[in-house]
Amino acid sequence: MIPWTLLDTAAIPNNGGELKFSQRDKEFSIRLSGIRGELMNSRVYNSEKVLSELGCSHLKNRKNAHVLVGGLGMGYTLSSALKAVDETSQVTVAELIPEVVKWNQGPLGNCAGNPLQDPRTTVRVGDVKQLLNTQKPTYDAILLDVDNGPEGLTHSDNNWIYSVVGLKEIYQVMNDQAMLAIWSAGPDYLFEVRLKKIGFKVDTRVVRARPGKGSKHTIFLAKKV
Ligand SMILES: C[S@@+](CC[C@H](N)C(=O)[O-])C[C@H]1O[C@@H](n2cnc3c(N)ncnc32)[C@H](O)[C@@H]1O
């Protein structure tokens, strides 16, 4: 068995611990420090890809669509969003941790086909929240994979995204018929209720971590109607 080599580490803001970026042959891993486990592995990305396929399915024939991706990770959601929209569209990706962007510009780039090099991509280093509280309709799709989901946050500042206050602000920055797609490690009935109360039309899908196998993840699809 080839041993893991630690390539780099990065601090998570607000004393959130550390990310450890490692490589073993062609496989990459980003782990959270302590016992919090693996955040991403370059071999396991089916639900991250499907997040964009479902969240952008209404944009197939749309010109000049604007998609916001929250959380670059290993770039699979971003890459899949770029495949889902046409050449006149743009995709903005927000990533909290500068080193994650650097890793994607370097060794991680090939994993998802170098989506940061696509001329339609704009990277914003910082909290996705800053792009979600502008209070004017801006996005045709918002794809969020910044944490475990509404429950069991790894980064407590992300609570806002799943709260009534946060969801109301997100609703305001969505164009009519836009889709909010949120990745979650598991189902959350109360979160669905919260989305519906705000006015979203909600659909929930279960998606496997690998095609046809692996953990069952949840994708919340919330449409602004
Ligand atoms: C599970 S990974 C995303 C994986 C990604 N969907 C992919 O395809 O590889 C979560 C990412 O979100 C970032 N993140 C966490 N909170 C964030 C926030 N509030 N704003 C922007 N990025 C955030 C983390 O640093 C991490 O890179």
Side-chain angles (χ1 to χ4, degrees), residues 73-154:
M74 293 189 171
Y76 293 108
T77 300
L78 171 62
S79 173
S80 177
L82 289 162
K83 287 192 183 103
V85 296
D86 81 351
E87 71 285 353
T88 66
S89 298
Q90 52 173 319
V91 182
T92 301
V93 58
E95 172 51 52
L96 187 65
I97 299 172
E99 289 86 346
V100 171
V101 175
K102 188 182 81 183
W103 302 337
N104 276 271
Q105 287 162 339
L108 271 184
N110 277 337
C111 294
N114 293 298
L116 290 182
Q117 290 176 15
D118 190 301
R120 297 169 295 166
T121 300
T122 302
V123 194
R124 298 285 293 270
V125 177
D127 196 323
V128 68
K129 208 194 298 188
Q130 289 157 5
L131 303 180
L132 289 171
N133 55 18
T134 54
Q135 294 177 353
K136 57 174 194 286
T138 307
Y139 306 108
D140 300 296
I142 298 176
L143 315 170
L144 296 179
D145 178 13
V146 290
D147 220 303
N148 275 336
E151 288 295 324
L153 299 174
T154 57

